[in-house]
Amino acid sequence: MSLLEVKNLKITFSARDTSTEAVKGISFRLGENESVAIVGESGSGKTVTAMSLTRLLPPPPACKVSGEISFDGTNIGSMSEKDLRKIRGRQIAYIFQEPSTSLNPVFTVGYQIAEAIRLHFPEEKNVREKVVESLREVGILEPQKRCDSYPYELSGGMQQRAMIAMALACKPRLLVADEPTTALDVTIQKQIIDLLKSVRQKRRMSLLLITHNFGIISELCERVIVMFRGNIVEEGACRDVLHNPRHPYTRALINCIPRLGARGRKLEPIDYDKL
Amino acid sequence: MIRYFIRRLLEAVPVFIAIVTAVFFMVRFVPGGPFDRERPVSPETLEALNKYYGLDKSLCEQYFSFLKNLSRGELGPSYKYGGWSVNEILAEKAAVSLQLGICALLIALALGLSAGFASAVLSKSKIGGALSGFSLLGICLPSFVLGPLLILVFALKLNAFNAMGWNAPSDAVLPSLTLAMFYAAWIARLARNGAIAETSRGYVRTAYAKGASRGRVYLVHIARNAIQPVVSYLGPAAAALLTGSFVVETIFQIPGLGRFFISSALDSDYTMIMGCVMIYSAFIIIFNLVSDLLLAAVNPRIASEMSK
């Protein structure tokens, strides 16, 4: 049985008199301990899809979500707010794109991680110990000291590590990483990817990676879903899609990856008229 | 942090002296003097008065003797209220204004913050819209309209309070409400706009994503960020509230300091003017410093800037 099942998901945003369908009826599954990437350009609907999994999108009428999302057999859409809070963070945890704005600037990193633990394990006594442990797990040096640091005292890479520590603190079954490396520079990107990879192997947790970067998915994911303008255009094993893309959009996206050493080859922008 | 505090206080000293000096000379360049009356005084009397108060000396001499007295904390006699020293008047009147001001400040904070945050939380509903409309009304309604209105309703029609005077503790209710309303409304708008701007920030989404309730997100995460503009505003607001208000004190017949700000200038009561100016600028300096320290307590980043 799959851990996450999405059926005919439609997401529509409405402003005064216009409405935009960001996601146009997509369906996919994600198995226990499976790692899947959703790839697509900006505006393809991948981030809102990720947000809709725990109903993090603004409430109607601004945003309307239809279709069925079931996690471990329970329907997310019909859940009460209270039950949903038990899923958020505990079962499905998130990492966001911009670590500097995703952490609250006026609380210490330790406080924010401890908050996640206290929300889901109120009986836990050694919260601080757990926080230090989770910071150590994501490779933060001197975790005892860093616990009391404020986000602005950490570099971007460290902030993203702290975000990952916060997401992992409650041992979720599914980690949704929404462009976790986009805001970081290349060397830090590699570190974060390696970190996610090792944590996933150790924890045996499922991963849904949202990205526009084909370069990082082959390292992390087994399966890939390609989204374009709110639809899934291609889906398959990572290797097949990368080496043998069937849809022209996928081909165009893969063509956009800059390659080291490829002299004289111009980076090609996507020509939408051909699609 | 303590070094920052001391540095700010030391920085304030030259500012304070500059203000005092500027005002000292400015009031003396204004035509007319403290003893000009509608009925002319005989030249002999005027000369005697000027001699008695030291006003016959040169401006420079007067300035230095003023500074000398100031260093001992002496502000000299009032020219208008014979037999009273400015120190005595300030001590007695400022105490009343201070009491009134503290009540008004507390009301403004309590009303403003709760209305502001409530209207932010309910910003999409009709109640939120109504609250924000009320706060606009509070800003637009001048105290010389609001005061008599409150007297009419609560004192004359309902008989709940005295219409004027400053004898029983309940006498503080109507004037402090009148005084507080503008500030409450302004604080409500600052808090509301702050909170609404914060709701779209990334950390709010993070807080929801880890399972925090709406109440927790607002009270813990958003409140501490959104309160910062209110804290900055508190400095000048506190100084203005605590030094008294001419309008409110006149409407409610309260023996406070507010009216002296106006009357001393009209009477050219030089020593009294200096007293009022010094109290007001000292309050401004002190409360701006206090609000900066409060801001540092709320925002760790500002605290770290300060301890550099």
Side-chain angles (χ1 to χ4, degrees):
Chain A
M1 197 188 97
S2 43
L3 181 67
L4 176 76
E5 199 169 340
V6 176
K7 270 189 211 150
N8 198 23
L9 176 72
K10 279 186 193 158
I11 302 173
T12 314
F13 288 95
S14 323
R16 281 168 202 277
D17 41 34
T18 59
S19 75
T20 318
E21 203 173 28
V23 175
K24 300 166 181 163
I26 63 167
S27 306
F28 63 91
R29 304 156 163 264
L30 181 87
E32 191 96 48
N33 194 22
E34 196 189 13
S35 169
V36 173
I38 298 183
V39 194
E41 60 189 357
S42 324
S44 59
K46 55 195 193 309
T47 296
V48 286
T49 302
M51 294 298 124
S52 70
L53 297 182
T54 56
R55 300 207 326 236
L56 283 175
L57 293 168
C63 173
K64 222 175 110 240
V65 178
S66 70
E68 197 183 306
I69 299 168
S70 62
F71 180 81
D72 202 17
T74 45
N75 188 343
I76 298 271
S78 59
M79 224 174 231
S80 72
E81 213 23 68
K82 201 171 158 231
D83 291 333
L84 192 64
R85 289 208 296 272
K86 289 182 188 141
I87 300 272
R88 288 175 179 167
R90 177 72 185 87
Q91 304 286 339
I92 304 177
Y94 284 86
I95 308 170
F96 299 109
Q97 178 172 354
E98 189 78 57
S100 56
T101 58
S102 299
L103 290 165
N104 194 328
V106 297
F107 292 105
T108 62
V109 169
Y111 175 87
Q112 296 185 57
I113 298 173
E115 185 185 23
I117 297 173
R118 287 204 186 94
L119 282 169
H120 295 291
F121 303 99
E123 69 287 346
E124 176 66 55
K125 288 203 178 63
N126 300 320
V127 175
R128 186 166 170 104
E129 234 167 73
K130 294 260 171 199
V131 171
V132 172
E133 194 185 302
S134 69
L135 282 174
R136 187 176 293 126
E137 192 184 356
V138 297
I140 286 185
L141 298 174
E142 300 182 277
Q144 291 279 5
K145 207 176 120 198
R146 286 293 157 224
C147 241
D148 302 317
S149 295
Y150 288 96
Y152 74 91
E153 295 171 312
L154 304 178
S155 66
M158 291 269 263
Q159 286 172 346
Q160 193 61 301
R161 280 173 196 268
M163 270 302 284
I164 296 175
M166 186 157 81
L168 296 178
C170 293
K171 314 220 171 339
R173 291 167 71 190
L174 169 62
L175 179 68
V176 181
D178 182 12
E179 311 234 12
T181 59
T182 307
L184 307 172
D185 60 50
V186 181
T187 46
I188 309 293
Q189 281 188 12
K190 173 74 176 139
Q191 289 174 12
I192 296 290
I193 291 164
D194 289 346
L195 171 66
L196 284 174
K197 202 168 150 187
S198 76
V199 168
R200 206 179 82 73
Q201 276 164 359
K202 210 161 50 183
R203 291 279 187 91
R204 304 181 61 75
M205 103 195 134
S206 305
L207 174 72
L208 186 65
L209 177 72
I210 314 290
T211 182
H212 62 255
N213 187 346
F214 255 107
I216 69 170
I217 57 172
S218 56
E219 283 204 56
L220 271 172
C221 301
E222 292 132 29
R223 219 148 49 78
V224 57
I225 294 167
V226 183
M227 277 186 80
F228 178 55
R229 293 183 181 167
N231 285 309
I232 291 180
V233 294
E234 187 161 358
E235 188 177 351
C238 215
R239 193 168 303 165
D240 296 346
V241 174
L242 274 175
H243 292 286
N244 217 348
R246 285 192 307 271
H247 195 274
Y249 176 69
T250 319
R251 232 171 287 154
L253 262 187
I254 293 173
N255 257 336
C256 288
I257 309 172
R259 276 191 189 82
L260 210 59
R263 272 170 198 253
R265 174 179 167 271
K266 267 197 187 156
L267 207 55
E268 262 179 65
I270 297 174
D271 185 354
Y272 291 102
D273 296 336
K274 283 188 191 161
L275 297 175
Chain B
M1 189 64 95
I2 294 165
R3 268 181 50 200
Y4 173 82
F5 185 75
I6 294 169
R7 203 185 73 214
R8 280 282 299 269
L9 276 185
L10 289 179
E11 277 173 4
V13 172
V15 174
F16 187 73
I17 292 175
I19 295 171
V20 166
T21 307
V23 174
F24 181 91
F25 289 105
M26 271 155 66
V27 294
R28 279 167 175 77
F29 287 133
V30 174
F35 309 115
D36 293 343
R37 296 286 181 271
E38 276 170 29
R39 208 150 40 95
V41 195
S42 70
E44 295 80 38
T45 323
L46 196 62
E47 201 177 315
L49 277 169
N50 278 339
K51 196 173 169 61
Y52 177 74
Y53 287 112
L55 291 174
D56 54 343
K57 292 183 194 144
S58 76
L59 258 186
C60 215
E61 273 177 287
Q62 284 184 44
Y63 177 63
F64 283 109
S65 73
F66 161 74
L67 281 188
K68 211 170 106 194
N69 289 336
L70 184 62
S71 66
R72 284 178 309 184
E74 287 290 327
L75 297 172
S78 164
Y79 300 152
K80 176 81 194 295
Y81 305 92
W84 287 76
S85 78
V86 173
N87 290 54
E88 287 166 338
I89 298 178
L90 283 184
E92 192 186 312
K93 306 293 177 187
V96 174
S97 284
L98 217 56
Q99 286 168 15
L100 178 62
I102 288 172
C103 292
L105 188 62
L106 293 178
I107 293 174
L109 269 177
L111 265 182
L113 285 180
S114 47
F117 282 131
S119 83
V121 175
L122 306 167
S123 64
K124 299 235 163 57
S125 76
K126 288 199 175 101
I127 303 171
L131 276 172
S132 118
F134 268 121
S135 74
L136 196 61
L137 191 71
I139 290 174
C140 297
L141 203 63
S143 52
F144 57 80
V145 176
L146 181 65
L149 216 60
L150 288 178
I151 292 178
L152 184 69
V153 176
F154 290 100
L156 301 184
K157 294 264 185 255
L158 299 176
N159 253 326
F161 299 101
N162 294 329
M164 48 189 67
W166 188 255
N167 304 308
S170 68
D171 285 347
V173 175
L174 295 185
S176 33
L177 262 179
T178 311
L179 194 55
M181 201 47 77
F182 173 83
Y183 295 90
W186 198 250
I187 289 172
R189 288 189 79 74
L190 287 174
R192 174 180 191 271
N193 294 345
I196 288 178
E198 293 294 322
T199 47
S200 57
R201 298 287 215 93
Y203 69 81
V204 173
R205 187 173 63 174
T206 309
Y208 280 123
K210 64 182 162 183
S213 63
R214 201 167 136 85
R216 194 182 159 77
V217 170
Y218 269 93
L219 290 175
V220 176
H221 288 272
I222 292 180
R224 193 157 162 193
N225 284 289
I227 205 166
Q228 291 177 35
V230 177
V231 174
S232 319
Y233 174 63
L234 229 46
L241 278 172
L242 298 180
T243 45
S245 146
F246 174 76
V247 176
V248 172
E249 285 173 10
T250 307
I251 294 171
F252 290 94
Q253 291 299 309
I254 294 167
L257 191 61
R259 61 175 80 173
F260 285 87
F261 278 80
I262 311 287
S263 67
S264 65
L266 291 177
D267 297 336
S268 291
D269 191 347
Y270 296 152
T271 44
M272 194 62 213
I273 295 176
M274 296 311 296
C276 290
V277 165
M278 282 191 291
I279 261 204
Y280 188 65
S281 45
F283 273 33
I284 288 266
I285 288 168
I286 291 168
F287 285 107
N288 271 326
L289 185 52
V290 168
S291 86
D292 282 356
L293 293 178
L294 279 176
L295 209 55
V298 174
N299 189 336
R301 190 159 199 171
I302 293 172
S304 82
E305 292 286 319
M306 281 182 183
S307 32
K308 266 178 198 161

